[in-house]
Amino acid sequence: MTITEKILAQAAGRDEVRPGEFVTCKLDLVMANDITAPIAIEEFEKMDAGQVFDRDKVVLVADHFTPCKDIKSAMQVKLLRDFAHSQGLTHFYEAQTGGIEHIILPDKGLVLPGEVVIGADSHTCTYGALGAFATGVGSTDFAAGMALGECWFRVPASRKFIFTGQLNEWVSGKDLILYTIGQIGVDGARYMAMEFAGPVIERMDMAGRFTICNMAIEAGAKNGIIVPDDTTLDWVNSRTTRDFQVFRSDEDAQYAEIYEWDAGNIEPQVAFPHLPENTCGISEVGEITIDQAVIGACTNGRLEDLRIAAQILKGRQVADGVRCIIIPGSQQIHLQATREGLVETFLEAGCLVSTPTCGPCLGGHMGILAAGERAISTTNRNFVGRMGHPESEVYLASPAVAAASAVAGKICGPEEL
Amino acid sequence: MLIQGKAHKYGDHIDTDVIIPARYLNTTDPDELAGHCMEDIDSDFLSKVARGDVMVAGKNFGCGSSREHAPIAIKAAGIAVVIAESFARIFYRNAFNIGLPLIESAEAAAGISDGDEVEVSLEEGVVRNLTTGEEYAFAPITGIAAELLEVGGLRERVRQQLVGQ
């Protein structure tokens, strides 16, 4: 069996599962945010469920429209806060106590290897980087999860992506996942598990692994996953004392397809509007001027991402007329970035530094585009109207490319500065 | 259930951001959400759609965000069924969870044009294009999806399960 099959089998109380089978699994954690939880709370109440299945295993994170952008979003966050209080939830976070859901849950040790997690947010697949099975659901599935502590799944077939060779300079996890989506398309892994492996992944830090698994959904996948190794265990053991189980794919595990790519052939990637599959290498981009650069999000708002951006922005200036918005993914990351002098570097370069929020990634607030405007962004989606006006454009790239582009005023890699 | 209405046709990879843009996700009111359904790619949709109509699309319908507001907006706008070549998986779950039926049929998705009059029988597993006279068979909805349609969605299914415990 693959790691995904083993985790689902264990949670379903079975010795074995096969792709296509339906199973009901016990849930280790259920999570929702300020957009998806309000519907879920209404549904939960109409289910007459009373109490959540386990007040330590239901997590609410207000991060999308926080600090609240308007009265309606403030009412939604209030609903979450009141529900968390009345249910006695251990884990309720908003901007000042947390940050972006998919950054703070792993950071706080709330997701561990081998666990089964559903989140009412499509990027819940991020936690697969820890060797957990984590998948996005809607509000009512989350409400059912809160009530029952279980969820049904169709066991996904797995596709394996092996990266060999050496990463080129300025090439990161973001570039590998954009390259992958460019190769297989936005529905290339629809309903499937994407398992990432190979020497390049084994040498990669957790930040890069989170970025890769974060975007599995952009290829249509049910989950992204990486088998835990020493890097994972060091990371997890520094954040928790809870017990967990490590699963590894068998030598004879069955894959629907295996791809093997030499990372040495991959340059920094850019995804053109309006799908993440519209990728090309930085050398093929041509002359594309920008109005805005966004560095942050659940995809690339980790300390490692900010360090790379600061390395490029140090001693340079953001181009005239360009708004470069930097969004540390959590209060903790913001504090550490301040201590390391990264925030000072950003401010000196003429960047804006925001409190943690999903904000501009989904066209919520903190950097909305006007008609005809163009952004380079380290976020994960470039659909029509994603960051604002339906006639605006979003180009997806790594923190290195976004930072370099902010300085140049057009899309380029750090080597062109 | 027999559904008859006009087809509103869209292309491949219709994502949940264009079905209901995030700027409107500060409400959970179905009618308010329906008021902005599809507006970024089809500003005339609301003036054209009538209760009982059918939405038709290509590959990977409903990709992207997990927002359940997307099927809620489609359903509240009056759409009775969505026919597509394929669906993104979170949208697929969400739609059946709120009692919006989906039909996967590449033939029907390709054969129906915008504005065609369409009849759908979920029990028989047939889509009839009344404008062209063509018929498309599809595998009847079974398993959990059929159960959800029958009880009226996941909320009721869970409520019954909790009562039984």
Side-chain angles (χ1 to χ4, degrees), chain A residues 35 38-39 42-43 46-49 65 70 72 76 120-122 135-141 144 150-152 186-187 190-191 222 362 381 383 386 390, chain B residues 13 15 17-18 22-23 25-28 32 40 59-60 64-69 72 86-87 89-90 92-94 97 104 144 154-155 158-159 161-162:
Chain A
I35 284 181
I39 292 178
E42 288 173 25
E43 293 297 306
K46 288 174 187 165
M47 287 168 181
D48 298 329
F65 291 154
D70 55 20
K72 284 177 159 181
Q76 295 203 149
D121 188 280
S122 60
T135 191
V137 296
S139 297
T140 307
D141 268 323
E150 61 180 40
C151 185
W152 67 267
V186 292
D187 61 349
R190 207 171 51 90
Y191 278 81
K222 177 174 243 161
L362 72 160
R381 291 195 171 126
F383 301 148
R386 176 74 182 179
Chain B
H13 311 304
D15 60 79
D17 272 275
V18 299
R23 58 186 178 273
L25 301 185
N26 53 8
T27 179
T28 59
E32 208 175 328
D40 281 359
K59 286 191 289 189
N60 201 27
S65 155
S66 70
R67 61 190 70 165
E68 202 161 295
H69 314 64
I72 289 172
S86 61
F87 292 93
R89 59 160 289 277
I90 303 176
Y92 192 85
R93 282 183 84 114
N94 287 348
N97 282 346
E104 224 168 42
I144 297 170
L154 182 61
R155 175 211 302 161
V158 173
R159 207 186 61 77
Q161 190 176 337
L162 288 169

Side-chain angles (χ1 to χ4, degrees), chain A residues 364-387:
Chain A
H365 64 155
M366 278 304 295
I368 303 302
L369 301 174
E373 286 193 329
R374 213 177 268 145
I376 183 112
S377 178
T378 69
T379 55
N380 40 43
R381 291 195 171 126
N382 55 356
F383 301 148
V384 172
R386 176 74 182 179
M387 199 175 277

Side-chain angles (χ1 to χ4, degrees), chain B residues 122-140:
Chain B
L122 294 178
E123 290 76 13
E124 287 178 74
V126 179
V127 177
R128 296 186 184 90
N129 187 335
L130 303 177
T131 304
T132 63
E134 286 175 6
E135 276 194 18
Y136 314 97
F138 62 90

Side-chain angles (χ1 to χ4, degrees), chain A residues 29-33 36-37 57-61 63 101-102 105 117-124 127 135 137-138 142 146:
Chain A
L29 202 74
V30 302
M31 184 276 297
N33 59 50
T36 55
K57 295 183 177 180
V58 176
V59 183
L60 296 181
V61 184
D63 58 358
E101 49 196 351
H102 306 310
L105 265 62
V117 179
I118 61 167
D121 188 280
S122 60
H123 294 107
T124 301
Y127 316 139
T135 191
V137 296
F142 164 72
M146 279 201 291

Side-chain angles (χ1 to χ4, degrees), chain B residues 76-89:
Chain B
I79 295 292
V81 63
V82 185
I83 303 169
E85 184 179 333
S86 61
F87 292 93
R89 59 160 289 277

